[in-house]
Amino acid sequence: MVEVEKTAKTVQEAVNLALAELKSSREDVDVEVLEEPSRGIFGLIGTRPARVRVKVRNTAASRLKKLLEDILAAMQLQAEIFIKEENDTLSVSMFGRDLGTLIGRRGETMDALQYLLNLAVNKNQEKRYKIFLDIEGYRKKREETLQKLALKLAEKARQRGRNVVLEPMSSLERRIIHTALQGISDIATYSEGEEPYRKIIIAPKK
């Protein structure tokens, strides 16, 4: 649903009813006042309510939110969706119950969903946005876990004097490992293999 008409005692009340049904905020819609309220004779007879038409703007953020709401409804899940727009980037945060299925093992389902959202929102659009999706703060937690893992395995490589090979990771997660260890003078990191099986090697410098 992208457009509704509502009536109420005042224009603002009618707008609020429409926003609630559309699940949108005021800045995401256009409001057309179809009828102003009238008090009628002596304020009693012939009282006419306000009537408004409220339409959701076709923005990248609104398309993105609608897609996520449809996905949640199809999966019978409920979540709060927060979208932050900055330049050509849309950052999405979702919070709710039982969202683990949308995250998946090591965030693989979330990464796949993020990829599909990028395709769908930017389809046939002149201006393209880069969409980043995070669910239940998973990405921040995962980043902290990978940073600790990187330091632990670097110490292991140093003590044993031989390379440590990590399991395959996404390009984003590999970048976290590289960044975490780039300031260590006696440790080098590099990637090898083909996607999606590309992995990082942590090597002690001779």
Side-chain angles (χ1 to χ4, degrees):
M1 183 182 299
V2 295
E3 180 182 314
V4 295
E5 290 187 14
K6 289 292 178 182
T7 58
K9 289 182 180 180
T10 67
V11 170
Q12 188 58 55
E13 288 178 2
V15 170
N16 290 341
L17 289 173
L19 292 176
E21 184 169 332
L22 292 169
K23 297 180 180 179
S24 298
S25 55
R26 182 63 181 83
E27 59 269 19
D28 295 328
V29 302
D30 291 318
V31 176
E32 180 183 358
V33 179
L34 301 177
E35 290 184 10
E36 292 282 356
S38 171
R39 293 179 61 85
I41 301 174
F42 307 119
L44 296 172
I45 302 173
T47 300
R48 185 178 63 193
R51 186 163 66 95
V52 300
R53 178 182 294 125
V54 178
K55 184 176 182 179
V56 178
R57 296 185 186 127
N58 184 27
T59 64
S62 66
R63 294 195 300 274
L64 175 57
K65 187 175 182 181
K66 179 66 166 56
L67 280 169
L68 287 170
E69 287 174 344
D70 289 346
I71 291 169
L72 289 169
M75 298 181 70
Q76 297 184 327
L77 296 173
Q78 292 185 338
E80 290 185 283
I81 302 171
F82 301 93
I83 300 176
K84 180 181 178 182
E85 182 174 346
E86 188 172 358
N87 297 325
D88 297 336
T89 300
L90 294 173
S91 298
V92 189
S93 298
M94 293 173 58
F95 298 91
R97 297 179 58 187
D98 304 320
L99 298 183
T101 52
L102 285 179
I103 297 174
R105 180 176 175 269
R106 292 191 312 177
E108 291 175 352
T109 304
M110 182 170 59
D111 288 340
L113 178 57
Q114 177 178 276
Y115 174 75
L116 292 174
L117 290 172
N118 272 279
L119 290 180
V121 170
N122 290 307
K123 184 178 181 181
N124 300 326
Q125 301 297 316
E126 291 184 8
K127 182 176 181 179
R128 300 183 66 82
Y129 286 83
K130 192 163 188 177
I131 298 168
F132 292 100
L133 174 64
D134 193 11
I135 301 173
E136 291 290 330
Y138 174 85
R139 293 202 187 278
K140 181 63 177 178
K141 297 173 187 174
R142 179 64 173 165
E143 180 179 357
E144 292 173 352
T145 297
L146 289 174
Q147 288 171 342
K148 292 177 182 177
L149 176 66
L151 295 173
K152 181 179 179 180
L153 294 181
E155 182 61 26
K156 180 179 179 180
R158 183 185 294 116
Q159 290 180 355
R160 296 187 178 185
R162 62 174 184 266
N163 296 353
V164 174
V165 182
L166 282 69
E167 59 185 29
M169 294 179 177
S170 67
S171 60
L172 177 60
E173 294 193 339
R174 293 198 306 271
R175 191 178 305 118
I176 292 171
I177 298 290
H178 287 306
T179 302
L181 300 180
Q182 67 181 1
I184 302 178
S185 59
D186 61 342
I187 291 293
T189 62
Y190 58 93
S191 298
E192 67 176 22
E194 300 295 327
E195 300 289 3
Y197 305 107
R198 194 164 174 80
K199 50 195 173 186
I200 283 184
I201 312 297
I202 299 177
K205 293 181 181 178
K206 304 299 183 182

